[in-house]
Amino acid sequence: MATDKTVTPTEDQLEILEYNFCKVNKHPDPTTLCLIAAETGLSEEQTLKWFKQRLAEWRKSEGLPSESGSVRD
């Protein structure tokens, strides 16, 4: 039953995710990620995946490479 399907967050979940991304931290530590996951009702894996995808979108919009190990936002 457990599948690795992409889950589309609800509007309420997106609001929480976006708030945390924009106002709190684009790179949440494991504890923060766990709290965000609990708040949204998503798994930590789904939450981390959303943050990674959102960060890639943000980097693209800023004209930065989508992946960068040396520059932290």
Side-chain angles (χ1 to χ4, degrees):
M1 188 173 167
T3 58
D4 194 27
K5 297 261 186 225
T6 301
V7 174
T8 304
T10 65
E11 274 187 45
D12 289 343
Q13 289 169 327
L14 271 176
E15 208 171 285
I16 294 164
L17 291 165
E18 280 290 341
Y19 173 82
N20 281 282
F21 183 84
C22 295
K23 305 285 187 205
V24 181
N25 193 343
K26 290 176 177 54
H27 302 277
D29 60 54
T31 303
T32 305
L33 194 69
C34 180
L35 292 170
I36 296 168
E39 190 177 355
T40 59
L42 298 170
S43 71
E44 286 181 54
E45 292 80 17
Q46 291 166 325
T47 305
L48 180 60
K49 189 174 183 178
W50 184 91
F51 266 86
K52 285 182 176 181
Q53 290 173 335
R54 183 66 180 84
L55 184 61
E57 287 173 22
W58 178 83
R59 286 185 177 281
K60 192 174 178 184
S61 74
E62 296 290 311
L64 299 167
S66 61
E67 294 283 328
S68 176
S70 62
V71 178
R72 301 277 299 207
D73 316 311

